[in-house]
């Protein structure tokens, strides 16, 4: 991981961890506050709902109790109802009419003030049904007998207490709609004789709590008697998660009747979501702000180090550090840049010194190798000339002397280490001319070189020693074998040379030792000095590797009593073409 990223994560953690902690504390306090507000609001709504529902029950009870009012000074409803107290009561149609008029007069003002009352009826023990409807043409069927219905029996069991019959449709009422009813037994205040059941039919809106329910979208009310649902405000939704609801249940003024309120906590909390969204937006804003600040701070602190690391990755580009704006800083960054610049300058001086020393060493070694080869050849040639001169004076001596002069001039040529292939082959021909005279044409020399390669450049003095080795070591001074062949070719941008003889060859052990010797890297001691050893193939191989690189050099193949082939691989360095091919047999 890059240093910039590490700084970024560290700064982000230092900024964001406190922010997240603060966010957690703020969210916790917000949750507690919103829950407290929701709890308080729902509790107030529930209390108001209980008060209003009990007020409705109280008003209805007041209507029912007026039916039992009795007075000695006037004809009351209670006195009229005594005429219908049993099935064998003696009453007339006038008595029924009079009782209905009394009911109308008594309840007329009350029904005007309570618009949700559909009708008020009295079911007497004699079977006479008194009263009338006030809305939607509601009336009781004339053939209706209530004594077998559950609401009537439940009312009798309450012995004077008000009974509520839940919301529904009633087939004993004409033109009935969805309604609920209240009933209470009427007794003679003096004799406690049963005078009938006072029945009030109402529309469900009489129990509506819309006036106190300030959260109608999130609150549902129901009135129950045990498990029996008497009334509900709308359709109660199915809330499967109890943690998302608040439920209250309180007893009402009627016996065994309760009011239940269910509040959707999630919907109530939506009123507080504006604050939550504001808090979340602030947290996101600060999160982004701190992240951006951490990024730019990490970038500011690590940019000098990253720049220095890139400069160190390319140490040769010294001008880069010289142009750096951090070089003149007075802090630790400036110290790093200045120390690195100092180290770079010292390193460059050291490399330059070492490189120059190595060049001198290589040049000296090249010259030493050439001198060794030239001295070796000069010794052998002079020995041959001396032998011939002592035997007879001959034209051959002149030829050898001329060839020897050309060879010396070629050897001491100092224009450069490279020569054309044509010049190198001329040197080989001079050598062969001398040796043919020396050995009385006891061997043949063949040369096959394409003319297009003659102007290509090669390293000087690398082919003649191979021919010399083939003559002296392969043919054993013409005592074994008689042919030496030199060929050249071009392949894949490289020059390939081969010197082959049909001499004694080498056994596998000798060939392996020679190959291992060639594989050893040149070892240098003091300047212009070389370890003692072979001055033939080893020297040529060393010169090639020193000049062209370790990918090039000599390869040897040999088989005992069949001859030896020495090949050289060089990079192709083309020069000017010539029209003179070299394909010659001597």
């Amino acid at each position: 991981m890059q240093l910039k990223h590490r700084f970024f994560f560290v700064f982000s953690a230092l900024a964001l961890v406190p922010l997240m902690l603060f966010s957690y504390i703020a969210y916790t306090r917000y949750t507690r506050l919103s829950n407290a507000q929701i709890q308080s609001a729902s509790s107030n709504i529930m209390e108001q709902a209980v008060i209003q529902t009990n007020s409705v029950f109280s008003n209805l009870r007041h209507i029912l109790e007026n039916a039992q009012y009795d007075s000695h000074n006037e004809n009351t409803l209670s006195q009229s109802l005594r005429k219908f107290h049993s099935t064998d009561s003696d009453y007339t149609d006038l008595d029924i009419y009079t009782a209905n008029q009394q009911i109308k007069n008594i309840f007329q003002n009350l029904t005007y003030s309570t618009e949700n009352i559909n009708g008020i009826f009295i079911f007497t023990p004699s079977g006479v049904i008194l009263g009338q409807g006030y809305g939607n043409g509601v009336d009781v069927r004339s053939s209706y007998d209530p004594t077998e219905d559950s609401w009537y029996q439940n009312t009798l069991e309450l012995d004077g207490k008000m009974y509520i019959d839940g919301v529904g449709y009633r087939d004993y009422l004409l033109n009935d709609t969805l309604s609920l009813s209240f009933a209470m037994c009427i007794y003679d205040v003096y004799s406690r004789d049963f005078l009938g059941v006072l029945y009030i039919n109402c529309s469900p809106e009489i129990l509506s709590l819309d006036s106190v329910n300030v959260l109608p979208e999130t609150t549902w009310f129901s009135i129950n008697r045990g498990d029996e649902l008497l009334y509900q405000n709308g359709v109660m939704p199915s809330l499967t998660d109890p943690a998302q609801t608040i439920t209250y249940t309180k007893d009402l003024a009627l016996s065994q009747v309760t009011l239940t309120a269910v509040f959707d906590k999630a919907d109530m909390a939506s009123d507080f979501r504006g604050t939550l969204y504001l808090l979340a937006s602030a947290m996101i804003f600060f999160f982004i702000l701190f992240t951006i600040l951490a990024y730019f701070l990490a970038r500011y602190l690590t940019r000098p180090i990253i720049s220095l690391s890139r400069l160190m990755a390319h140490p040769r580009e010294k001008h880069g550090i010289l142009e750096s704006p951090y070089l003149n800083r007075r802090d630790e960054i400036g110290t790093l840049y200045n120390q690195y610049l100092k180290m770079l300058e010292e390193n460059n001086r050291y490399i330059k010194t070492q490189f120059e020393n190595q060049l001198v060493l290589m040049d000296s070694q090249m010259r030493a190798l050439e001198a060794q080869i030239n001295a070796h050849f000069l010794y052998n040639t002079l020995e041959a000339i001396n032998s011939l001169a002592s035997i007879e004076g001959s034209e051959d001596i002149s030829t050898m002397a001329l060839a020897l002069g050309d060879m010396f001039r070629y050897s001491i040529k100092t224009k450069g280490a490279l020569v054309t292939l044509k010049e190198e082959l001329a040197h080989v021909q001079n050598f062969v001319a001398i040796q043919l005279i020396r050995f009385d044409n006891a061997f043949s020399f063949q040369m096959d070189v394409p003319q297009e390669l003659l102007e290509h450049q090669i390293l000087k003095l690398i082919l003649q020693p191979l021919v010399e080795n083939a003559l002296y070591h392969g043919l054993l001074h013409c005592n074994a074998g008689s042919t030496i062949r030199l060929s050249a070719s071009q392949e894949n941008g490289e020059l390939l040379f081969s010197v082959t003889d049909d001499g004694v060859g080498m056994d596998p052990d000798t060939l392996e030792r020679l190959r291992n010797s060639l594989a050893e890297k040149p070892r240098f001691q003091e300047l212009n000095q070389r370890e003692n050893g072979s001055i033939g193939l080893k020297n040529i191989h060393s010169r090639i590797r020193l000049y062209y690189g370790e990918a090039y050099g000599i390869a040897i193949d040999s088989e005992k009593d069949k001859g030896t082939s020495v090949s050289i691989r060089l990079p192709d360095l083309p020069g000017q073409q010539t029209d003179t091919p070299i394909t010659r047999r001597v």
Side-chain angles (χ1 to χ4, degrees):
M1 181 183 295
Q2 295 183 0
L3 185 63
K4 177 175 65 176
H5 296 158
R6 293 184 181 180
F7 272 96
F8 171 74
F9 287 129
V10 170
F11 293 149
S12 297
L14 292 177
L16 298 181
V17 169
L19 178 62
M20 294 177 64
L21 181 61
F22 173 79
S23 301
Y24 172 76
I25 295 174
Y27 177 77
T28 302
R29 292 179 64 86
Y30 160 79
T31 303
R32 291 178 182 175
L33 178 62
S34 61
N35 288 338
Q37 293 292 332
I38 292 172
Q39 198 76 23
S40 176
S42 60
S43 178
N44 290 335
I45 293 174
M46 182 62 182
E47 290 178 2
Q48 294 299 320
V50 171
I51 292 174
Q52 179 167 324
T53 305
N54 284 334
S55 176
V56 172
F57 291 163
S58 178
N59 292 336
L60 292 173
R61 183 184 295 276
H62 178 66
I63 294 174
L64 295 173
E65 289 175 350
N66 282 337
Q68 300 184 80
Y69 174 76
D70 195 12
S71 174
H72 294 287
N73 299 324
E74 58 183 288
N75 185 20
T76 62
L77 179 59
S78 178
Q79 294 173 355
S80 298
L81 292 177
R82 292 190 182 101
K83 298 177 182 181
F84 310 96
H85 73 284
S86 64
T87 56
D88 56 352
S89 297
D90 185 16
Y91 56 89
T92 64
D93 292 337
L94 179 61
D95 294 330
I96 295 175
Y97 175 78
T98 301
N100 281 327
Q101 287 298 113
Q102 287 180 325
I103 293 174
K104 181 179 180 180
N105 293 334
I106 291 173
F107 299 114
Q108 186 173 16
N109 293 333
L110 296 175
T111 55
Y112 286 156
S113 61
T114 309
E115 61 183 8
N116 293 313
I117 295 179
N118 296 327
I120 300 177
F121 306 95
I122 298 177
F123 297 90
T124 64
S126 64
V128 176
I129 302 175
L130 303 175
Q132 61 181 348
Y134 299 101
N136 301 323
V138 175
D139 201 354
V140 180
R141 298 182 185 274
S142 59
S143 60
Y144 174 62
D145 182 9
T147 57
E148 298 298 326
D149 285 353
S150 60
W151 71 267
Y152 186 88
Q153 296 175 1
N154 292 333
T155 303
L156 294 180
E157 292 176 359
L158 292 178
D159 193 22
K161 296 180 181 179
M162 187 170 65
Y163 174 79
I164 179 173
D165 192 16
V167 177
Y169 291 95
R170 293 161 175 80
D171 56 1
Y172 54 86
L173 295 179
L174 296 173
N175 301 320
D176 184 40
T177 58
L178 194 65
S179 63
L180 55 83
S181 60
F182 298 86
M184 188 176 70
C185 293
I186 302 175
Y187 295 97
D188 190 323
V189 297
Y190 300 104
S191 64
R192 294 297 296 171
D193 291 337
F194 177 68
L195 300 180
V197 173
L198 181 61
Y199 178 90
I200 301 178
N201 183 263
C202 305
S203 63
E205 286 73 20
I206 195 171
L207 294 179
S208 175
L209 299 174
D210 292 341
S211 60
V212 298
N213 185 11
V214 296
L215 299 173
E217 300 297 328
T218 62
T219 308
W220 298 270
F221 293 98
S222 65
I223 297 176
N224 303 274
R225 183 191 298 115
D227 295 332
E228 180 184 3
L229 177 64
L230 302 177
Y231 168 83
Q232 69 177 7
N233 183 16
V235 179
M236 189 74 67
S238 57
L239 300 175
T240 58
D241 187 4
Q244 296 299 319
T245 61
I246 300 176
T247 304
Y248 295 97
T249 299
K250 290 191 177 182
D251 294 331
L252 297 176
L254 298 183
S255 176
Q256 299 181 350
V257 177
T258 59
L259 174 65
T260 299
V262 179
F263 298 87
D264 188 345
K265 191 175 180 181
D267 283 347
M268 294 181 70
S270 63
D271 295 335
F272 300 91
R273 286 175 184 168
T275 304
L276 179 60
Y277 291 153
L278 180 61
L279 179 62
S281 300
M283 294 302 103
I284 294 174
F285 171 77
F286 284 111
F287 179 87
I288 297 174
L289 177 62
F290 289 157
T291 302
I292 294 174
L293 290 177
Y295 170 78
F296 282 103
L297 183 59
R299 183 181 178 187
Y300 171 76
L301 292 178
T302 58
R303 181 181 292 177
I305 301 176
I306 294 174
S307 177
L308 182 60
S309 67
R310 290 174 179 172
L311 291 173
M312 296 179 70
H314 303 85
R316 297 182 180 179
E317 300 177 2
K318 180 181 177 182
H319 62 87
I321 192 170
L322 293 175
E323 296 173 357
S324 174
Y326 308 109
L327 195 61
N328 297 324
R329 286 179 55 163
R330 301 293 183 181
D331 54 7
E332 290 80 1
I333 296 298
T335 302
L336 286 175
Y337 273 78
N338 282 278
Q339 290 299 318
Y340 176 68
L341 177 60
K342 182 179 178 181
M343 181 190 70
L344 194 62
E345 291 174 346
E346 293 177 353
N347 189 47
N348 287 339
R349 286 195 298 269
Y350 175 79
I351 292 175
K352 182 179 180 181
T353 302
Q354 290 296 105
F355 181 74
E356 291 175 350
N357 292 339
Q358 187 66 23
L359 288 177
V360 173
L361 187 61
M362 290 177 63
D363 183 69
S364 300
Q365 180 64 19
M366 294 285 287
R367 293 179 181 274
L369 289 173
E370 292 176 5
Q372 290 179 4
I373 294 173
N374 294 337
H376 180 68
F377 170 71
L378 178 60
Y379 175 81
N380 293 331
T381 302
L382 290 178
E383 182 182 6
I385 294 174
N386 183 56
S387 299
L388 289 175
S390 62
I391 297 174
E392 61 182 11
S394 173
E395 184 180 342
D396 292 339
I397 297 176
S398 176
T399 302
M400 294 178 66
L402 180 60
L404 180 60
D406 291 338
M407 294 182 67
F408 270 116
R409 282 193 297 271
Y410 180 79
S411 298
I412 63 175
K413 181 180 179 181
T414 58
K415 290 183 179 180
L418 295 179
V419 295
T420 63
L421 179 57
K422 180 179 179 181
E423 294 173 326
E424 181 70 7
L425 292 179
H427 183 65
V428 172
Q429 290 173 346
N430 287 327
F431 170 78
V432 171
I434 295 173
Q435 299 304 325
L436 286 174
I437 296 173
R438 177 188 176 192
F439 291 105
D440 195 21
N441 295 315
F443 71 96
S444 64
F445 177 73
Q446 302 173 3
M447 192 160 54
D448 185 10
V449 179
Q451 66 177 4
E452 62 269 15
L453 301 181
L454 295 180
E455 297 300 328
H456 289 227
Q457 293 184 331
I458 65 171
L459 194 62
K460 185 172 67 173
L461 294 175
I462 60 173
L463 295 181
Q464 179 269 328
L466 298 185
V467 177
E468 182 179 358
N469 274 344
L471 177 61
Y472 293 164
H473 301 292
L475 303 186
L476 295 179
H477 299 81
C478 298
N479 292 322
S482 62
T483 303
I484 299 175
R485 186 175 186 273
L486 186 153
S487 62
S489 63
Q490 185 183 31
E491 181 180 340
N492 297 327
E494 295 179 342
L495 293 178
L496 302 178
F497 298 95
S498 176
V499 177
T500 305
D501 66 71
D502 57 355
V504 295
M506 289 180 280
D507 58 68
D509 291 339
T510 303
L511 179 62
E512 184 65 23
R513 286 195 300 271
L514 183 56
R515 286 175 175 175
N516 292 336
S517 175
L518 294 179
E520 294 177 358
K521 292 184 178 181
R523 291 177 293 172
F524 299 98
Q525 294 179 338
E526 297 180 359
L527 191 62
N528 290 330
Q529 292 188 7
R530 177 79 167 131
E531 290 183 352
N532 293 327
S534 172
I535 62 172
L537 297 179
K538 178 65 175 177
N539 286 332
I540 298 172
H541 186 66
S542 299
R543 290 178 62 212
I544 293 174
R545 295 181 67 186
L546 286 172
Y547 196 89
Y548 293 111
E550 295 184 359
Y552 303 96
I554 290 176
I556 302 176
D557 290 312
S558 182
E559 189 173 350
K560 185 68 174 176
D561 297 326
K562 290 187 178 181
T564 301
S565 176
V566 180
S567 59
I568 297 178
R569 188 163 62 93
L570 303 177
D572 188 10
L573 301 175
Q576 297 181 352
Q577 296 293 327
T578 181
D579 295 331
T580 305
I582 296 183
T583 302
R584 177 178 177 184
R585 291 179 179 271
V586 181

